[in-house]
Amino acid sequence: MTEPKVLILRTAGTNCDAETDTAFQLAGAETALVHIQNLISGKVNLSDYQILAIPGGFSYGDDISAGILLAVEMKHKLTDALNQFVADGKLVIGICNGFQVLVRTGLLPGVSTSNNGTSEMTQHATLAMNTSAKFECRWVDLETQQSPCVFTKDIKPSVYLPVAHAEGRFTAPADVLAELEANNQVVFRYAESQYPRNPNGSDADIAGVCDPTGRIFGLMPHPERFLTKWNHPRWTRFAQTQDTTTEEGDGLAIFKNAVNYVKANL
Amino acid sequence: MSNTVNEINILNADDAELMRISREGTLSLNLNEMKTIQTHFGALGRNPTDVEIETIAQTWSEHCVHKTFKSIIRYSEDGRETEQIDGLFPTYIQRATEDIDKPWCVSVFSDNAGIIEFDETFNLVFKVETHNHPSAIEPYGGAGTGIGGVIRDSLGTGLGAKPILNTDIFCFGMPDMPYSELPKGTLHPKRVFKGVVAGVRDYGNRMGIPTANGAILFDSRYTANPLVFCGNVGLIPRNRCEKSVEPGDLVVAVGGQTGRDGIHGATFSSAELDDTSESLGSVVQIGNPIMEKKIVDALLQARDRNLYRSITDCGAGGFSSAVGEMGEHIGAEVHLERVSLKYEGLAPWEIWLSEAQERMVIAVPPENLSELVAICEAEFVEATVLGTFTDTHKLQVFYEGAIVADLEMEFLHNGLPKPVKQAVWQPPKHPEMPSRDEGIGVGNSSYTDDLKRLLASPNIASKESVIRQYDHGVQGGVVINPLVGVANDGPSDACVITPVLGSRKGVIIANGINPKYSDVDPYLSAASAIDEALRNIVAVGGTIEKTALLDNFCWGNPDKPDRLGALVRAAKACYDIATAYGTPFISGKDSLYNEYRDTTTGEQRAIPSTLLISAICVIPDIRNAVTMDVKAPGNFIYVVGNTYAELGGSHYFGIHGFIGNNAPVVRPDEGKQTMERLSSAIDSGWVRSCHDCSEGGIGVAAAEMAFAGGYGMTLNLDNVPTGDATDADDYLLFSESNSRFIVEIEPEHRDAYENYMSDVPIGYLGTVTEAPEFVVKGRSGSPIIKTSIDVLKSAWQTPLHS
């Protein structure tokens, strides 16, 4: 088959699109940076792609709250295309602002609680202001959870990635959290609960979640910022003799898993 | 205010009336300049319109034309006139670059930013600006639009560079200043600090540009006049570095709408502040980073399709400067009623001068217009045709069909009379602080408390609480972070990025700034700033051979001979030291009139003479970069470079209330050899960590390396190489002599390293220890510092923690 095709969605204020593009290319995908206007106008068809990536940034300035305007735009102007994309078993990843968008569309965590069986996208969780009340740029240890998430299949049990956000505190009502746990939808947790190891005060130290199928994935940390060893903040401390097989950064596996899944299943 | 144009009656005005017109119009024009305008219009037989006189005032403002740096200066030192200088800029800055003549300098001093070569495909642009006056009045907006403005400088260089890195250096009053001592009409330094950091954070983060280098300094003299330096590095294709404008090209404005914000910003920042300046709200611009991001997204696409021939940003002076500069050699006509306005009711001169943010002007061949507009529309960006570039050699402005300005480009750009200014330099004499050492072999002097106090002094203390609010990882290319070490919290000397993902070619950005030495001699301050910037480059693995410099002078009122004398001293050092090191200036800027006047008491305060040197270096392989945190117990610690009894303006003298007189001298012969050798040693892989010795000397540098690495050190001052007869322990520990480093060498590389460095002064200080104790033995052999690294780290981290 041809290389899996990734649509990297852009709009005003998207700013992690270039490195997300690099990540998918390194993983072996064919990529396209597409402005949402071109999807809405029909100039580009979402159905031509197998992976939808919503990168980090400040979509529309994060006016009102992070990601909400882009979420509303997607929900109301791309309703059918999005529903079809998901129904076709294709993959969606939202990173940082993209995660905020997915949560606000209701695509994540995609739980059934109080959904009344309708297919309408409803928001069940949120990403609130960090408990530190400020933007935080730092590297965090993540613990990979047992989950159906296809993006983290066979990934290392502990992963090191940077966060850079002001609104990253994942929080949801108790029943939603309980359902997430029951479905193993928590993909990554911050390794410890106390600040700054949990950089934003997330409930249950949640750093990333997937939908029940494992094909829609959102996370606050930035895997696209750790593609090679030299992105690691302490690479100068590694022994100089370290062998070259470790030149790959922790983040790349997430993109490779997505590409491999498409190759095997779609 | 109405939509009409007024004639300004200057033809019959006497001197007093001319000055009243200048003052009341915030024109910042002096009498000589007003008279020149009067003569020019006298010959034309008419008065200027408000649009015309405002255009001239903007174009001739210190902010836009840097007339002090171009003026003739009669310079006196120690009471006798020694020379006449025909322009500080051509004599000391531009000439340095010409004399150094580096082949990798692509464009210097001519465009909105300097350009140097990067690789086969790309060049780099770098510019640093200040936004001091606006930040004093409205810290958040002033600082945000400061970074916004310098990003547009990169976008306005060549045919437009992609912004890839921000750098920010701030100077504030003391954060613990009692409110009762606050000068009238000024904001508390803490509020300025918080507002400035938030402004830079929100603008830079939203634009998606990493902020990975900077500095924050404190001195009570910055209270009324804080300094906000904002820099931006951009990446530009090699074949997009030149611009031209042809008659017939359309004048197209791209970006935000025009409102009444920021009017008179250029002339306002060319005057002193006083206790009434806070009421001048309209001179501060309003920023919208998402608008600017959209402009970048749209224009880089248009650039790659070759849709426009020239580009510049609307900064100080708004359209008047942008169109006036682009059309300088041919002419331009503009129709102001076409400008997209935020709201109705602006007078023509206000539209023309508004410094509303996020606007670029491009020169578009008419056949490319529809494609350009389509790209802009796809990115939600407005593009408006304002007029045409002409061959009239005139700047002609129309409003609703009537001509409201008709200016000769020649008069506008070259009519400014070259002023003659007086400058004097009188070396100050400060009380000297004797060594507090009790002498070799005597007593038990302890400097543990001094070291803790130095680490806790606000200039040295950790800036982590600020750094973490900046996104330094966006764009995915940062390979040496601003915070390094075992806990990611040690102070990196510089940042390193790979602008092209997947390539190992890197860029280092560093800075040097030493305003305290200006209290002794601005020459030494400037020289040390260059040396410090270069040390920071070398400390992470760069070379001075591939380093270019930027100069940003922030000074007091240059109409006062002593202030100007200090400026002459600093400019001379720039020439001397840059040429000696072979590091060219590629861009620079000055911000003068950083003074505050209390209108009731008449009291006048100037900032310390402050020169920021920013440095940019291209390295072939980022895998050879090093950081400042010690790596492993058992490794050896060396000092590289000679120590002298140079504590004038030092932090050690400072915490004891002294300034002193022997500020650090730069000895470029020694320094150049030291840095070249060290660069090669680092490239050879012998150096596990390296830190520059600057504020707080060997003591502070070694302590920072230890606690950043999480290991102890046992050091001995016996082998510190000295260039003079210094033997007092405290001087050896805390002297701030230039061109020095502390390095960590693995035992297996010791011989190779020592042999290679044999013609450079190096001294073996001791070892890295597993035990987290920081121990320094004095020349008597007994410990003069003994404490745990946790105590030192806590002293360093606590003061600016929140």
Side-chain angles (χ1 to χ4, degrees):
Chain A
M1 70 173 282
T2 55
E3 288 172 343
K5 290 178 76 177
V6 185
L7 186 149
I8 296 163
L9 187 68
R10 286 178 52 235
T11 192
T14 304
N15 65 32
C16 300
D17 43 331
E19 52 270 40
T20 305
D21 188 44
T22 302
F24 273 112
Q25 286 183 16
L26 283 175
E30 185 185 325
T31 59
L33 295 169
V34 177
H35 198 288
I36 191 167
Q37 282 211 97
N38 291 333
L39 281 180
I40 294 169
S41 70
K43 212 186 250 179
V44 176
N45 287 317
L46 188 57
S47 61
D48 293 339
Y49 298 83
Q50 292 92 38
I51 301 172
L52 168 65
I54 309 172
F58 291 81
S59 53
Y60 303 111
D62 280 353
D63 291 348
I64 304 174
S65 68
I68 198 160
L69 295 178
L70 180 56
V72 167
E73 198 173 20
M74 288 174 67
K75 241 164 96 163
H76 295 289
K77 294 189 176 165
L78 296 175
T79 322
D80 296 341
L82 264 182
N83 281 332
Q84 190 60 49
F85 194 84
V86 173
D88 288 344
K90 293 178 173 179
L91 303 187
V92 183
I93 182 170
I95 301 167
C96 195
N97 195 234
F99 184 26
Q100 292 161 339
V101 170
L102 290 177
V103 165
R104 298 209 150 91
T105 57
L107 282 170
L108 281 179
V111 291
S112 59
T113 308
S114 67
N115 217 9
N116 304 328
T118 67
S119 65
E120 195 183 317
M121 291 179 254
T122 313
Q123 183 177 347
H124 290 293
T126 198
L127 288 154
M129 189 70 183
N130 298 345
T131 43
S132 67
K134 60 187 179 192
F135 190 95
E136 296 271 351
C137 181
R138 59 173 73 245
W139 284 70
V140 290
D141 288 300
L142 301 171
E143 283 178 357
T144 311
Q145 308 293 301
Q146 282 300 324
S147 80
C149 182
V150 304
F151 293 85
T152 53
K153 186 168 170 272
D154 299 330
I155 212 168
K156 293 195 297 185
S158 69
V159 171
Y160 195 47
L161 291 177
V163 294
H165 60 249
E167 294 174 61
R169 178 164 59 88
F170 185 92
T171 182
D175 58 336
V176 173
L177 287 174
E179 193 179 335
L180 284 181
E181 300 289 356
N183 294 342
N184 296 320
Q185 281 177 252
V186 178
V187 179
F188 283 129
R189 282 186 221 273
Y190 302 111
E192 282 176 45
S193 298
Q194 80 272 25
Y195 175 82
R197 304 268 288 163
N198 172 340
N200 47 40
S202 280
D203 290 353
D205 305 317
I206 292 172
V209 299
C210 61
D211 77 330
T213 71
R215 294 193 298 263
I216 305 176
F217 175 38
L219 74 171
M220 288 313 297
H222 286 275
E224 81 284 9
R225 295 187 187 182
F226 189 15
L227 302 177
T228 77
K229 171 182 136 180
W230 294 277
N231 292 134
H232 191 292
R234 292 190 301 273
W235 68 267
T236 61
R237 299 186 68 78
F238 300 161
Q240 284 168 314
T241 52
Q242 196 149 7
D243 78 275
T244 52
T245 55
T246 56
E247 286 190 7
E248 186 175 311
D250 285 5
L252 189 55
I254 288 172
F255 303 97
K256 282 186 168 173
N257 269 327
V259 169
N260 291 337
Y261 177 87
V262 171
K263 280 182 175 166
N265 297 286
L266 293 172
Chain B
M1 210 150 312
S2 67
N3 298 4
T4 55
V5 175
N6 295 306
E7 184 179 308
I8 306 297
N9 190 355
I10 62 168
L11 289 191
N12 304 314
D14 60 13
D15 290 0
E17 174 65 6
L18 286 175
M19 285 317 290
R20 188 193 64 79
I21 292 168
S22 172
R23 199 173 48 248
E24 292 183 1
T26 325
L27 300 178
S28 295
L29 291 167
N30 65 31
L31 182 60
N32 190 23
E33 291 158 350
M34 286 300 289
K35 282 178 137 167
T36 304
I37 297 168
Q38 188 180 41
T39 307
H40 177 78
F41 281 92
L44 297 175
R46 65 175 178 93
N47 274 311
T49 65
D50 51 6
V51 180
E52 285 172 327
I53 201 158
E54 292 280 359
T55 304
I56 296 167
Q58 301 304 308
T59 311
W60 290 6
S61 69
E62 183 64 58
H63 189 97
C64 290
V65 78
H66 306 285
K67 51 199 170 194
T68 297
F69 268 76
K70 294 174 181 160
S71 65
I72 293 166
I73 294 174
R74 304 173 71 107
Y75 177 66
S76 310
E77 208 167 286
D78 259 343
R80 60 193 173 81
E81 184 170 322
T82 57
E83 62 196 302
Q84 180 163 310
I85 301 159
D86 193 359
L88 288 173
F89 173 71
T91 308
Y92 297 117
I93 309 295
Q94 201 170 24
R95 189 164 59 91
T97 303
E98 287 163 9
D99 289 356
I100 294 163
D101 194 25
K102 286 283 185 187
W104 42 259
C105 285
V106 177
S107 165
V108 294
F109 305 117
S110 56
D111 210 331
N112 285 312
I115 310 180
I116 60 169
E117 285 179 3
F118 178 61
D119 66 10
E120 302 299 307
T121 317
F122 294 105
N123 289 331
L124 293 164
V125 313
F126 192 15
K127 172 69 168 282
V128 177
E129 280 209 315
T130 53
H131 226 215
N132 304 331
H133 283 46
S135 302
I137 292 176
E138 210 281 87
Y140 182 86
T145 54
I147 192 72
V150 79
I151 292 166
R152 287 196 305 282
D153 277 327
S154 286
L155 187 60
T157 298
L159 292 177
K162 177 192 172 194
I164 58 168
L165 186 81
N166 288 337
T167 157
D168 301 286
I169 291 89
F170 308 137
C171 301
F172 301 127
M174 299 307 286
D176 57 356
M177 175 184 210
Y179 273 88
S180 55
E181 291 172 15
L182 203 59
K184 205 172 131 195
T186 64
L187 301 175
H188 192 274
K190 215 170 189 170
R191 183 167 157 203
V192 177
F193 183 1
K194 289 205 157 156
V196 164
V197 168
V200 162
R201 172 194 68 203
D202 287 354
Y203 209 105
N205 290 355
R206 275 171 172 68
M207 285 285 295
I209 302 167
T211 299
N213 183 253
I216 305 177
L217 291 84
F218 300 92
D219 186 300
S220 61
R221 291 167 289 176
Y222 293 119
T223 301
N225 294 94
L227 304 183
V228 174
F229 299 89
C230 298
N232 181 265
V233 182
L235 189 70
I236 187 168
R238 291 178 74 132
N239 60 2
R240 290 290 187 279
C241 292
E242 286 181 18
K243 53 180 41 152
S244 64
V245 186
E246 303 283 333
D249 287 352
L250 301 173
V251 178
V252 179
V254 175
Q257 296 178 317
T258 299
R260 207 168 267 142
D261 40 322
I263 286 176
H264 283 151
T267 47
F268 158 67
S269 50
S270 305
E272 295 173 356
L273 294 178
D274 63 31
D275 50 18
T276 64
S277 301
E278 61 176 337
S279 61
L280 292 170
S282 74
V283 296
V284 182
Q285 304 82 359
I286 301 162
N288 178 355
I290 300 302
M291 172 61 78
E292 189 145 308
K293 178 73 168 83
K294 291 191 292 187
I295 297 170
V296 172
D297 291 346
L299 285 181
L300 293 185
Q301 293 174 46
R303 174 199 73 185
D304 291 341
R305 293 196 215 168
N306 252 330
L307 297 182
Y308 56 85
R309 255 196 278 266
S310 181
I311 181 168
T312 200
D313 71 307
C314 281
F319 288 132
S320 75
S321 292
V323 179
E325 280 171 29
M326 287 175 85
E328 179 180 348
H329 302 294
I330 49 174
E333 72 167 62
V334 166
H335 299 267
L336 292 178
E337 74 280 0
R338 299 184 190 168
V339 173
S340 176
L341 298 178
K342 294 182 179 179
Y343 36 78
E344 292 302 310
L346 273 72
W349 73 268
E350 291 178 305
I351 300 172
W352 187 228
L353 257 69
S354 164
E355 295 180 14
Q357 295 292 288
E358 292 93 24
R359 300 177 305 163
M360 304 293 293
V361 175
I362 54 178
V364 182
E367 63 271 22
N368 296 343
L369 184 66
S370 58
E371 195 177 347
L372 176 95
V373 169
I375 289 177
C376 289
E377 279 177 355
E379 300 286 341
F380 306 113
V381 176
E382 262 188 89
T384 314
V385 179
L386 301 185
T388 314
F389 291 101
T390 61
D391 57 5
T392 59
H393 297 277
K394 283 183 162 195
L395 182 57
Q396 294 175 308
V397 184
F398 297 83
Y399 185 72
E400 292 176 346
I403 191 157
V404 296
D406 191 5
L407 290 165
E408 301 283 342
M409 285 289 189
E410 174 62 24
F411 176 70
L412 185 60
H413 290 286
N414 299 314
L416 172 67
K418 197 185 255 190
V420 179
K421 296 192 175 208
Q422 302 292 330
V424 297
W425 169 246
Q426 189 65 46
K429 187 79 191 144
H430 302 291
E432 198 60 61
M433 176 178 142
S435 164
R436 292 166 61 251
D437 215 24
E438 293 169 28
I440 292 178
V442 197
N444 296 300
S445 314
S446 168
Y447 298 107
T448 306
D449 275 346
D450 291 278
L451 179 58
K452 283 197 283 191
R453 283 177 68 189
L454 284 168
L455 288 167
S457 67
N459 285 341
I460 296 175
S462 170
K463 311 297 185 298
E464 180 174 353
S465 65
V466 173
I467 295 168
R468 293 229 176 272
Q469 295 183 57
Y470 301 144
D471 191 341
H472 37 264
V474 64
Q475 298 193 15
V478 176
V479 290
I480 300 293
N481 277 280
L483 295 165
V484 296
V486 67
N488 299 340
D489 58 5
S492 184
D493 288 300
C495 73
V496 184
I497 62 168
T498 51
V500 180
L501 296 184
S503 163
R504 292 194 166 130
K505 201 145 195 187
V507 182
I508 307 174
I509 299 295
N511 65 75
I513 181 169
N514 298 286
K516 285 185 190 301
Y517 304 158
S518 286
D519 293 336
V520 177
D521 184 349
Y523 183 96
L524 299 179
S525 172
S528 297
I530 295 175
D531 196 86
E532 185 186 16
L534 296 178
R535 292 198 305 272
N536 285 327
I537 292 280
V538 169
V540 298
T543 59
I544 54 175
E545 169 64 27
K546 282 291 175 69
T547 299
L549 305 176
L550 275 65
D551 58 281
N552 282 85
F553 293 86
C554 286
W555 241 249
N557 184 342
D559 303 331
K560 296 176 181 158
D562 61 326
R563 273 54 155 181
L564 191 57
L567 191 59
V568 171
R569 292 286 299 163
K572 282 172 179 280
C574 284
Y575 178 81
D576 294 348
I577 306 303
T579 50
Y581 278 122
T583 48
F585 295 101
I586 56 166
S587 172
K589 202 104 201 233
D590 54 274
S591 163
L592 311 176
Y593 301 95
N594 288 292
E595 302 217 5
Y596 166 85
R597 194 163 42 89
D598 186 322
T599 53
T600 43
T601 64
E603 193 195 351
Q604 182 94 26
R605 282 169 233 186
I607 59 161
S609 300
T610 307
L611 171 65
L612 168 69
I613 294 290
S614 307
I616 181 168
C617 175
V618 175
I619 53 171
D621 191 338
I622 53 94
R623 292 177 298 178
N624 293 337
V626 292
T627 51
M628 51 71 68
D629 47 309
V630 293
K631 304 299 188 296
N635 287 347
F636 302 131
I637 300 294
Y638 288 79
V639 60
V640 180
N642 272 327
T643 299
Y644 297 80
E646 294 176 321
L647 291 103
S650 70
H651 281 67
Y652 178 62
F653 275 17
I655 61 171
H656 292 291
F658 284 85
I659 294 173
N661 301 288
N662 295 319
V665 170
V666 176
R667 300 166 185 85
D669 292 347
E670 273 183 31
K672 188 163 187 241
Q673 195 185 18
T674 298
M675 292 193 213
E676 285 173 349
R677 286 277 155 164
L678 182 56
S679 293
S680 298
I682 290 173
D683 239 20
S684 302
W686 301 328
V687 177
R688 285 298 275 141
S689 64
C690 178
H691 196 20
D692 106 287
C693 260
S694 52
E695 297 163 320
I698 293 173
V700 164
E704 287 177 344
M705 291 173 76
F707 63 64
Y711 295 113
M713 275 187 194
T714 299
L715 308 178
N716 190 317
L717 295 180
D718 262 345
N719 293 327
V720 173
T722 54
D724 56 18
T726 314
D727 61 0
D729 285 339
D730 56 347
Y731 279 23
L732 290 174
L733 263 178
F734 302 127
S735 166
E736 297 182 4
S737 292
N738 283 297
S739 310
R740 296 179 309 154
F741 302 84
I742 310 286
V743 298
E744 176 193 12
I745 308 291
E746 284 174 345
E748 61 181 291
H749 296 311
R750 178 180 198 162
D751 291 344
Y753 164 78
E754 285 197 353
N755 286 337
Y756 185 74
M757 301 291 278
S758 60
D759 49 2
V760 171
I762 62 169
Y764 169 73
L765 290 184
T767 56
V768 180
T769 61
E770 184 81 48
E773 294 293 313
F774 187 78
V775 180
V776 180
K777 290 177 185 153
R779 296 203 141 189
S780 68
S782 55
I784 51 173
I785 292 177
K786 193 174 186 334
T787 185
S788 87
I789 57 168
D790 295 338
V791 167
L792 295 176
K793 188 171 183 176
S794 160
W796 179 73
Q797 287 188 320
T798 308
L800 300 175
H801 184 63
S802 58

